[in-house]
Structures are given as C-alpha cells and as structure tokens.
Amino acid sequence: DLDKCADYIIFIKNGEIIASTTKDKLLESHLVVRGAGDALQKEQAGKIIGLKKHSFGFSGLIKKDDLSLFSGIETEKPNLEDIMVYYNREG
C-alpha cells in the first residue's frame, strides 16, 4: 500500500539507511531482472540485489546504473514491495 500513499521513502535495514529519497526516484533507479540460469554471468551476479536462482533461471533487482551489463536479459519496473523483498533477501 506504500505505492498508493507514500511520497518519500526512508528504507532502513538492520539500522542502516538503504534509501532516503522520493518514492518515484527510488522506483526509477531500480529494475527487476529475470532470465535463464545459463544467461547469468559472474559479473552480472555480483550486481544483482537479492539474487534468487531457480531450476528454470534467476531473478533479482538491479540498480538502473548497472543496466548496460544486462543486455538481452528481461527487465521490468519494480514496485516498492519488490524493492523491499529483494533488499531483505540479500545477504
């Protein structure tokens, strides 16, 4: 429901501020990535937040600044729940 009512987000994980920005900037600065398991390279895996590997592939969150590393891999815009889930999955 934060997508509907929040204008500014401060996301805190384990006492550390992960993000402190407007909702729109936070959403615009990330992308969800999905692909086949054999499409993921080591350099890419290191840039994925909350990487999850499945029997049919992988999914995770990236910062939009890293998009050039992911050519040919499916991306989509996240919602706030996606961002929180992937950051909490990390580590």
Side-chain angles (χ1 to χ4, degrees):
D1 291 335
L2 287 175
D3 285 307
K4 296 176 186 173
C5 66
D7 293 325
Y8 198 86
I9 302 291
I10 299 175
F11 180 41
I12 301 170
K13 179 183 174 187
N14 297 328
E16 179 184 344
I17 296 175
I18 303 297
S20 179
T21 188
T22 66
K23 174 186 73 171
D24 292 337
K25 284 184 181 180
L26 182 63
L27 292 171
E28 291 169 7
S29 66
H30 291 82
L31 290 167
V32 173
V33 292
R34 290 188 174 87
D38 59 349
L40 186 63
Q41 299 172 7
K42 199 176 238 185
E43 181 183 4
Q44 294 169 322
K47 295 290 185 177
I48 297 178
I49 300 161
L51 175 63
K52 183 173 184 180
K53 293 183 181 181
H54 328 111
S55 59
F56 54 89
F58 68 91
S59 66
L61 186 75
I62 63 168
K63 293 185 178 178
K64 209 169 196 175
D65 293 344
D66 295 328
L67 182 59
S68 63
L69 297 172
F70 293 88
S71 63
I73 294 180
E74 178 185 343
T75 63
E76 65 183 52
K77 292 182 178 185
N79 59 35
L80 288 176
E81 183 179 352
D82 293 331
I83 291 172
M84 288 187 284
V85 166
Y86 285 115
Y87 269 104
N88 280 316
R89 186 183 294 161
E90 184 176 49

